[in-house]
Amino acid sequence: MKNLFLLGILAFLLNACSKSNEINGLSDKNEKESSAQNLLAITSFYVNGTSGNDANAGTSPALALKTIQAALWKTTDGAGATIYVAGGTYKERLYWSNSGASSAEPITLTNYNNGVVILDGVNATNTAQNEMIAIASKSHIRIDHINIANNYRSNAKGIYMVGSGTDVHFTFCKIYNIGWTTNSSAVPSSTDNASPLIVVGSTGTSYNEIYIGSNEIYNCNTGYSEGLTLTGNVENFLVESNVVHDIKNIGIDLSGNYSWTNAPANVNFARNGNVKNNTVYRCVSPVATSAGIYVDGGKWINIEGNTAYENSTGISAGCENNNNNTEGINIRSNFIYNNVEAGIIMGANAPNSKVIHSTITNNTLFKNYSKTGWGGEIHLQNTDQLSIRNNIIQSASNIVIVASAGYTATNLSFDYNKYFSTSGSSANITFDWGSINQATYGSLAAFKTATGLDANSTYGTASFVSASLPNPNLHLTSASLCVNIGLPSFVAQPGELDIDKEARVRNGRVDIGADESAY
């Protein structure tokens, strides 16, 4: 479910400029990078919506400007600057006018003295602009501790970055109440879109080195768009430690192959990135299945250490555009529970597309498919070369894995998984393997015999610290039979950690599930 708006705004923004394996993306970090006052060649500007005046120089708190836009216009392209904004509500829609000099000398927009800064869309200036912050082909920028709220209109956006550039950080922001309508019960059509935070690589040169960390995005009526979106020619990114919730569609989306981005086809997809340690919940569309975290046409992306619950589905990798493949997606060490449909959906739904060379490893799936009925914890569509290993798969029904009839799942590898179903009896696990040989297996043993898969997988309870919904603790107890019994030859990839950012292998052998215990 992609947003289908045209990039007419790009022309406006550009014209305004005159006035499996560890991904080679950013390394993990979670620091506030807005402390630029100790760097050389950084000019400081101050904004105070109460006492400031745009006729002032803006170079000290006593000479503060009144509006943030006035401060942005005072920056110089290719020079470092920090804009300190006093706490308050600012009725402005901002255009980001310049790039910084380097990663050491960026242009930073941040709060002053820990004040709460809110960009409010109600009766805001620059009414022709749909975005609260619009950025076109700018580099070396930081937006930190700036809250964005109450932007309701057709194609509303919170932060919209389009074009090409490098070294952009969005940190510690809250983005909420962004929507195509204020009516939370309205059912959208494909032309109804709103995007709280979206990055679109729209040229043959990528947008790259993007860090999106420790933000909260919530209460947004996005229609056919998503809470946090990277699409088009975007590469080398880290999306970590964000909380995304109560979105009327997909929470976090890494997509590709959409012509509206205007990126050349050979680079028109998000790639080489990490999505780590985010919490995503209650992302549910009123019109279709929507994942908490979704890779649609992206490539070479790790989805690691996230917690996804009460979404339509927890985590998904697919490909909606025909004659394209999604490749190299590693879904690993995630807690996925109590989602409305499957915990993980893996595979393309377009007839001539697949998800290829991907893995589902060391995840803990617990009591998904809360809508009840016929469905499993993992749902497979068109896939090839998929490995499913070292996962805890504990179902709320008697159905654990579904490979859907009408799709094709080839070159599968299953092993060292721990299964359990609500009946407590392995005889009642159901694998619908219709895409392979039109068979349903009523037990793990029958499945092993017929397919040759899951030779070392077992049936039984995982023994969690707490197995009570809605707030389970899915860490392993010392009595768990998942401790130190994963794939013996498992070697963690560089930077690969467990759900708690701890070593993926302890005591000589990997555990099954997302938690690597110290036992």
Side-chain angles (χ1 to χ4, degrees):
M1 292 170 48
K2 294 274 102 34
N3 81 29
L4 302 176
F5 63 87
L6 297 175
L7 292 182
I9 186 65
L10 174 60
F12 163 77
L13 294 177
L14 293 175
N15 289 336
C17 289
S18 59
K19 212 176 133 191
S20 176
N21 301 329
E22 186 64 16
I23 306 303
N24 296 320
L26 298 177
S27 59
D28 285 272
K29 55 186 171 180
N30 191 7
E31 70 267 10
K32 179 179 176 182
E33 297 237 7
S34 62
S35 301
Q37 61 267 34
N38 62 335
L39 300 175
L40 298 176
I42 299 288
T43 302
S44 295
F45 296 103
Y46 297 84
V47 177
N48 190 311
T50 301
S51 63
N53 189 317
D54 283 349
N56 290 339
T59 51
S60 71
L63 296 173
L65 300 160
K66 187 175 184 63
T67 66
I68 301 170
Q69 187 64 67
L72 285 167
W73 287 128
K74 282 185 174 290
T75 62
T76 300
D77 195 47
T82 300
I83 299 170
Y84 294 103
V85 183
T89 298
Y90 293 79
K91 303 281 190 175
E92 301 183 59
R93 298 175 185 272
L94 303 177
Y95 172 72
W96 197 281
S97 50
N98 292 303
S99 294
S102 65
S103 60
E105 297 173 332
I107 294 177
T108 299
L109 176 64
T110 190
N111 60 339
Y112 179 66
N113 280 352
N114 299 314
V116 176
V117 176
I118 301 173
L119 281 180
D120 191 328
V122 177
N123 298 321
T125 59
N126 198 10
T127 58
Q129 180 175 298
N130 289 331
E131 304 79 21
M132 295 304 297
I133 302 179
I135 305 165
S137 295
K138 300 298 184 291
S139 299
H140 310 304
I141 65 177
R142 311 284 185 264
I143 297 177
D144 173 77
H145 280 95
I146 302 296
N147 301 329
I148 300 170
N150 305 321
N151 189 23
Y152 288 101
R153 56 168 61 192
S154 178
N155 289 322
K157 296 176 185 67
I159 297 174
Y160 178 41
M161 186 165 76
V162 64
S164 62
T166 190
D167 182 37
V168 177
H169 295 196
F170 303 127
T171 55
F172 297 98
C173 299
K174 292 185 177 183
I175 305 176
Y176 57 97
N177 296 349
I178 310 296
W180 66 276
T181 177
T182 58
N183 181 1
S184 61
S185 300
V187 176
S189 69
S190 62
T191 59
D192 296 319
N193 295 280
S195 299
L197 197 166
I198 180 169
V199 178
V200 181
S202 61
T203 75
T205 302
S206 68
Y207 242 126
N208 58 71
E209 302 299 320
I210 297 168
Y211 180 70
I212 301 175
S214 301
N215 304 284
E216 184 179 11
I217 301 173
Y218 62 101
N219 291 347
C220 294
N221 196 353
T222 56
Y224 271 59
S225 295
E226 308 82 28
L228 192 167
T229 307
L230 303 181
T231 191
N233 192 2
V234 176
E235 62 180 336
N236 300 338
F237 57 85
L238 174 57
V239 177
E240 72 167 349
S241 301
N242 302 284
V243 180
V244 181
H245 63 96
D246 295 286
I247 305 296
K248 289 284 190 175
N249 194 15
I250 297 159
I252 299 173
D253 183 46
L254 306 315
S255 69
N257 308 307
Y258 287 89
S259 60
W260 59 261
T261 69
N262 293 328
N266 65 324
V267 290
N268 189 11
F269 49 90
R271 61 196 181 276
N272 294 332
N274 290 282
V275 180
K276 292 188 169 186
N277 304 113
N278 302 281
T279 300
V280 187
Y281 60 96
R282 290 198 298 268
C283 297
V284 180
S285 166
V287 295
T289 299
S290 53
I293 302 172
Y294 184 34
V295 181
D296 169 22
K299 295 187 178 183
W300 315 304
I301 297 171
N302 293 327
I303 311 296
E304 178 182 306
N306 303 282
T307 298
Y309 64 93
E310 296 180 13
N311 305 289
S312 181
T313 195
I315 298 174
S316 179
C319 192
E320 296 183 19
N321 290 289
N322 206 14
N323 300 309
N324 293 281
N325 288 332
T326 294
E327 180 177 2
I329 310 305
N330 301 311
I331 300 175
R332 64 196 192 196
S333 299
N334 302 283
F335 280 163
I336 306 168
Y337 64 90
N338 202 27
N339 292 284
V340 177
E341 300 185 34
I344 295 176
I345 297 178
M346 196 75 163
N349 58 6
N352 298 306
S353 297
K354 294 181 180 180
V355 175
I356 62 174
H357 304 295
S358 295
T359 65
I360 299 173
T361 57
N362 281 104
N363 300 283
T364 298
L365 295 101
F366 179 71
K367 291 189 175 181
N368 294 288
Y369 221 82
S370 64
K371 72 178 185 180
T372 70
W374 199 93
E377 294 291 304
I378 297 177
H379 186 172
L380 301 180
Q381 299 183 155
N382 290 335
T383 67
D384 184 53
Q385 300 287 348
L386 172 64
S387 175
I388 301 179
R389 295 181 176 178
N390 293 344
N391 301 284
I392 295 172
I393 304 171
Q394 185 161 330
S395 178
S397 71
N398 291 333
I399 303 170
V400 178
I401 291 179
V402 175
S404 291
Y407 295 100
T408 301
T410 54
N411 296 307
L412 293 166
S413 175
F414 285 56
D415 215 354
Y416 289 94
N417 299 298
K418 172 69 80 173
Y419 296 105
F420 193 70
S421 65
T422 190
S423 69
S425 169
S426 63
N428 289 321
I429 292 181
T430 300
F431 295 85
D432 179 357
W433 221 244
S435 64
I436 293 180
N437 55 8
Q438 300 298 316
T440 297
Y441 304 99
S443 71
L444 177 58
F447 177 70
K448 289 182 179 184
T449 299
T451 67
L453 300 173
D454 263 326
N456 298 287
S457 297
T458 55
Y459 184 87
T461 59
S463 190
F464 299 123
V465 171
S466 171
S468 298
L469 294 175
N471 299 304
N473 184 338
L474 301 179
H475 292 83
L476 302 176
T477 68
S478 59
S480 175
L481 296 178
C482 294
V483 175
N484 299 327
I485 64 164
L487 179 69
S489 61
F490 177 89
V491 176
Q493 296 300 313
E496 181 179 358
L497 301 171
D498 80 344
I499 188 73
D500 299 316
K501 302 182 185 179
E502 296 176 343
R504 184 60 272 188
V505 179
R506 301 165 107 177
N507 301 315
R509 185 167 171 178
V510 70
D511 293 351
I512 295 176
D515 173 33
E516 187 73 20
S517 71
Y519 310 122

